[in-house]
Amino acid sequence: MRRTPLLAVVASLLLGAFTAPAARSAPTTFTHPGVTVSRSQLDFARTQVLAGAQPWKGAFDQMMASRYADQSRVPKPRAVVECGSYSNPNYGCTDEREDAIAAYTNALAWYITREPRYAQKAIQLMDAWSAVIQDHTNSNAPLQTGWAGSSWPKAAEIIKHTYTGGWANSGRFATMLRNVYLPEIINGSNSNGNWELSMMEAAVGISVFLEDKASYDKAMQKFRTRTAAYVYLASDGELPKTVPSQNLDTRDKIVKYWQGQTTFVTGLTQETCRDLTHTGYGISAISHVAETSRIQGQDLYGTDVGERLRHALGFQAKYELGTAVPGWLCGGTLHLGLGPVTEVGHNALHNRLGIAMTNTQALTERNRPAGSNNLFVAWETLTHGDNPN
């Protein structure tokens, strides 16, 4: 019997609902420090900074001149951080995110300078929050937890595993991550894709710090599924892949979820037609999880994750650099502002794997030194710029 067009569309949609194959991703033994940046990467950055080499010395100077490295910074913890849509209300949201970035900043400063005061400042910030925070509330609670929860373990990994001066309350900090952060993010989100990607970045990082293999596997599974549903490849078929729990079971639903875009081309993301800033959040989280996974022994850059990351970077970078927007793409108008999010993916795919990435390379070099987006991305020219490790 000849398949009708309707049945063909339904079959295509069913095939498009993608779930990555169930598999254990967690390493037998976790590597520390091992969230986004490894010890060998830190050693390379330190060597370059101490030698006065560029762009690392300039990136380090930028970091040290930022408010996040201010040694007079006073942490502002809250028992309940309440974050509404578009930061309304904002009760502790900015304070939490920026204290977490400051802890990471000071951890990096400690590693590069070996001045104990920076490690102690990072510890002060982490201890202040672990002593107080109990919950995140309101509509943006999952995203807020994902953003702050992405920075905390990066700081904690460096301090716990490289600072020899001791961290008496590291156990309390671990309890905070396990009880306050992980439950809010581990089950994912059906909102725009950058939410779940950031949440899984935090969940993966927290799982590394806690050495929690079950949570690591669960987060990585959700990450693989969401990445496939966030960046389109022509090999996906007529329509983008979907996350089964979202029930995007018609073309109209998928088009609406993809911000009204009806033409799908390789490298387009689910939020490209929203704006490149939110798209950058998703791309950044993909690169961070891929980098953490590589450090932990499973290299995703050679899988569809790496291919999607490469094409997403190149597609958005082209327009960020000024290429005219065609009429079929987002109605001929893009809202630019990708952010400082290209270093990790560019270094992994171009420098380590030797893949040509002309647009991504041009944008990366134009934006150096990459600073912070003041949410969950910070100092990646310093840590990953042309880093061979």
Side-chain angles (χ1 to χ4, degrees), residues 301-346:
Y301 290 115
T303 71
D304 78 297
V305 171
E307 187 177 2
R308 292 176 196 279
L309 176 60
R310 174 170 69 92
H311 287 295
L313 283 167
F315 186 87
Q316 319 317 305
K318 176 172 65 175
Y319 296 108
E320 192 75 17
L321 288 167
T323 295
V325 181
W328 60 263
L329 177 60
C330 310
T333 301
L334 282 176
H335 301 285
L336 304 179
L338 192 63
V341 303
T342 64
E343 288 279 15
V344 175
H346 173 260

Side-chain angles (χ1 to χ4, degrees), residues 3-17 238-239 248-252 254:
R3 179 179 287 169
T4 66
L6 176 61
L7 287 174
V9 170
V10 171
S12 173
L13 288 166
L14 290 172
L15 288 170
E238 179 189 354
L239 295 170
L248 299 174
D249 52 4
T250 69
R251 179 183 177 87
D252 286 348
I254 292 173

Side-chain angles (χ1 to χ4, degrees), residues 12 37 42 66 158 173 185 193 206-207 258 267 270-271 294 315 318 336 342 368 375 386:
S12 173
V37 61
L42 290 167
S66 75
I158 294 172
F173 187 82
I185 55 179
I206 288 169
S207 297
W258 281 64
Q270 182 255 314
E271 295 186 275
R294 186 186 70 92
F315 186 87
K318 176 172 65 175
L336 304 179
T342 64
R368 284 178 171 170
L375 298 172
D386 300 338

